[in-house]
Amino acid sequence: MFEFSPSSRVRRSPFYEATLAEGVKSFTPYNHMMMPTGYGDPEAEYWRLIEGVSQWDVSVERQVELVGPDAGRLAQALSPRDLSRCAVDQGKYVALCNHAGTLINDPILLKLAEDRYWLSIADSNILFFARAIAAERRLDVEVLEPDVSPMAVQGPKAEDVIASIFGDWVRGLKYFWFRAVEIEGIPLMLARSGWSKQGGFELYLMDGSKGTALWNLVREAGQPWDIGPGNPNTCERIESGLLSWGGDTDDRTNPFEVRLGRYVDLDLADDVVGLAALRRIRDEGPARHQLGVILEDRPQAPPLVAWRDILRDGRKVGDMTNGVRSRRLEAYIGFALVSRAVAAGETVEVAWDGGTLPGRLVELPFL
Ligand code: THG
């Protein structure tokens, strides 16, 4: 094997030292940082998320902060989702698009104040994009990346752990809502969110020098519930139907193709970036849609690392964009981004080892 060359272009997480101490075994690059992807026991890490509580370094989910008198105007210009009723302390999932209506990121938007927002982004450069839109429109707003690094606490026991640290009020926190808190001198934003369907919270650390302190505080508080390290879990997120931007999307994917149409409000003003294109796509009908695919007679095959052709009657109708052996379904499953001429219930062929395997299309999510 080869080694990873450290560089100042690839930034360290504030939780880096803590994850080393936990025995992290692998990383993946994301937003010019390294995200932990395993601690050496995938089986235990999966079941800890499904049945217990898991602690994740997701500092790679960087924040793009919009601050100033026109922050709200810029947030709405970037978001084809109506933000007019988004309250301070509320978050919303948004499908950021370019002028062609192509999905360029799928962040959680957090409204911190009337003049201050964070976009908690997936793996693409929204800082440059937001600055360009702001400048072209002569908006009075600053766009910057603040010193903010999320840690996720996920799983059915996450609420007990977080309540034991911050108090029982956290049990009443609504999905994607958040509150500023401080614990042992560590400033953070506590949100109910996270990239799993097992429930949980995200702690947005607002002082990068306190990463180890925060990690250890949560780790200690979680001991009664057997907390342990984990990371965004490929198997769980595929079972749960969560989108991975850049993994399940390509350079022509629009929100309607990947089940994000319900976050697009076509009645918004024309100056929302991409809205005209999105109206046209809606009228014409998107080319593809996203389904699940189950490879019945397979495999202990490893997770997919590249898209595979999906065929019907020998002709390509789309792509399998991810794949994993589901531990709960005991089958090999993945997402299919396929022509709308193909529907759930149909059988297709998936390109595999020079031949094909039969696959059954189903609606998402699997579980
Ligand atoms: N947390 C934070 N930042 C993030 C992510 C996160 N940035 C990158 C990436 N994840 C953004 N993408 C997603 C994708 C899906 C969800 C959250 C962020 C998600 N979706 C739910 C669903 O699809 O069922 C709920 C959507 C809804 O009800 O509005 O949670 O995880 N900080």
Side-chain angles (χ1 to χ4, degrees):
M1 270 311 275
F2 49 82
E3 284 182 17
F4 185 87
S5 306
S7 143
S8 58
R9 286 179 293 99
V10 183
R11 303 165 296 171
R12 292 243 164 121
S13 162
F15 309 117
Y16 181 66
E17 301 294 338
T19 59
L20 288 185
E22 295 277 10
V24 64
K25 290 288 184 292
S26 52
F27 292 91
T28 191
Y30 194 106
N31 282 329
H32 305 276
M33 292 182 72
M34 290 150 55
M35 175 167 68
T37 53
Y39 291 82
D41 191 347
E43 184 82 19
E45 288 160 35
Y46 174 80
W47 289 110
R48 182 181 291 145
L49 170 61
I50 303 298
E51 294 174 343
V53 52
S54 179
Q55 184 178 3
W56 304 353
D57 173 2
V58 283
S59 59
V60 298
E61 293 164 349
R62 304 313 290 169
Q63 310 308 301
V64 176
E65 179 166 323
L66 320 177
V67 59
D70 287 335
R73 283 179 65 196
L74 180 58
Q76 186 62 83
L78 295 171
S79 309
R81 179 173 185 175
D82 185 3
L83 302 178
S84 62
R85 284 188 310 278
C86 184
V88 170
D89 293 341
Q90 185 178 7
K92 278 181 188 280
Y93 184 38
V94 293
L96 294 195
C97 294
N98 65 14
H99 299 78
T102 301
L103 188 69
I104 57 167
N105 204 293
D106 67 332
I108 297 166
L109 172 143
L110 296 88
K111 181 171 179 178
L112 302 153
E114 291 300 335
D115 64 351
R116 190 166 168 236
Y117 294 76
W118 286 345
L119 295 169
S120 184
I121 58 169
D123 187 20
S124 70
N125 194 323
I126 296 306
L127 190 74
F128 288 0
F129 186 77
R131 279 182 182 156
I133 300 295
E136 294 272 318
R137 298 187 181 198
R138 303 183 192 287
L139 296 178
D140 185 2
V141 58
E142 251 189 281
V143 181
L144 56 109
E145 184 182 305
D147 174 10
V148 174
S149 300
M151 174 203 296
V153 181
Q154 300 286 296
K157 296 182 179 159
E159 189 174 289
D160 288 337
V161 175
I162 296 301
S164 79
I165 302 171
F166 297 99
D168 275 328
W169 66 268
V170 306
R171 299 185 191 277
L173 199 59
K174 286 182 283 184
Y175 205 72
F176 286 150
W177 287 67
F178 57 93
R179 190 192 280 188
V181 291
E182 195 171 301
I183 184 86
E184 295 184 11
I186 308 171
L188 35 103
M189 219 53 92
L190 174 64
R192 188 186 288 275
S193 58
W195 206 57
S196 86
K197 281 294 191 184
Q198 308 312 310
F201 295 81
E202 290 182 308
L203 286 62
Y204 291 74
L205 171 65
M206 292 163 69
D207 177 349
S209 73
K210 298 194 160 79
T212 302
L214 179 61
W215 186 278
N216 288 337
L217 189 151
V218 171
R219 184 178 196 273
E220 240 110 87
Q223 288 314 306
W225 294 275
D226 282 329
I227 199 169
N231 60 280
N233 190 283
T234 301
C235 179
E236 191 278 341
R237 78 98 179 167
I238 294 174
E239 292 172 338
S240 299
L242 286 174
L243 182 74
S244 173
W245 183 88
D248 301 321
T249 60
D250 61 15
D251 201 30
R252 59 190 177 98
T253 306
N254 64 64
F256 304 113
E257 291 183 324
V258 287
R259 298 174 296 131
L260 302 187
R262 64 186 183 282
Y263 306 118
V264 175
D265 294 308
L266 293 173
D267 296 338
L268 286 169
D270 293 349
D271 64 358
V272 172
V273 176
L275 207 70
L278 290 166
R279 288 195 192 114
R280 202 166 53 240
I281 294 164
R282 179 80 284 182
D283 289 347
E284 289 169 3
R288 299 175 290 183
H289 62 162
Q290 193 178 46
L291 298 169
V293 58
I294 304 177
L295 305 185
E296 310 272 10
D297 62 351
R298 206 35 102 191
Q300 302 299 317
L304 279 201
V305 294
W307 290 19
R308 300 210 177 200
D309 288 351
I310 295 180
L311 308 112
R312 190 179 56 184
D313 305 324
R315 280 192 44 229
K316 177 162 175 171
V317 290
D319 295 275
M320 183 165 178
T321 66
N322 63 44
V324 74
R325 187 180 74 86
S326 163
R327 294 174 195 276
R328 281 178 288 173
L329 296 174
E330 296 181 350
Y332 198 85
I333 62 171
F335 292 3
L337 186 56
V338 289
S339 159
R340 287 202 308 152
V342 194
E346 290 189 46
T347 298
V348 289
E349 304 110 50
V350 179
W352 204 280
D353 293 341
T356 63
L357 287 176
R360 187 162 52 87
L361 296 175
V362 297
E363 296 289 350
L364 289 171
F366 292 99
L367 286 171

